[in-house]
Amino acid sequence: IGTVVPPNPERYVLSFGLDGRIAAQLDCTRAMATWQASSQSATGGSLTIVGGPMTRAMCGPGAMDTRIASDFGRIRSYTLQGGRLFLALEADAGVYEFRSTED
């Protein structure tokens, strides 16, 4: 319950490739994953992410790298709104919010 913001949120970047791959920078950790989406509207739809290899760097206090990487498999849908990407977890377990790096 509530909002959790990691220190240095600018160090959390997801890059979705057209080839179905994700390159993720999660604080000091790098991870790879694959994705598949099915749009249900102009701004959202279902999303499946399968985690892949990741570095095991030791990030600082409060880092959410391992938490986000382990939640990849629990993401069920996405919404795009106002330059932000919202990734909703299964069973209303939470929502991750990322903003566009192009802003």
Side-chain angles (χ1 to χ4, degrees):
I1 298 175
T3 300
V4 178
V5 178
N8 306 307
E10 69 281 357
R11 294 173 66 179
Y12 293 80
V13 178
L14 300 180
S15 298
F16 287 77
L18 296 176
D19 61 356
R21 295 181 187 189
I22 297 173
Q25 176 70 46
L26 305 172
D27 197 285
C28 66
T29 298
R30 293 186 182 270
M32 299 298 291
T34 58
W35 67 275
Q36 186 172 17
S38 175
S39 67
Q40 296 166 341
S41 73
T43 59
S46 64
L47 177 64
T48 301
I49 296 179
V50 177
M54 66 183 277
T55 61
R56 299 289 180 193
M58 193 66 177
C59 299
M64 296 177 62
D65 56 323
T66 55
R67 178 179 173 179
I68 293 171
S70 67
D71 277 346
F72 278 165
R74 299 179 63 211
I75 293 170
R76 296 295 177 254
S77 64
Y78 73 95
T79 303
L80 297 167
Q81 182 178 21
R84 298 188 188 292
L85 170 65
F86 298 91
L87 304 175
L89 300 175
E90 65 188 355
D92 294 326
V95 177
Y96 286 109
E97 177 183 344
F98 290 86
R99 75 184 145 167
S100 173
T101 57
E102 297 177 11
D103 285 349

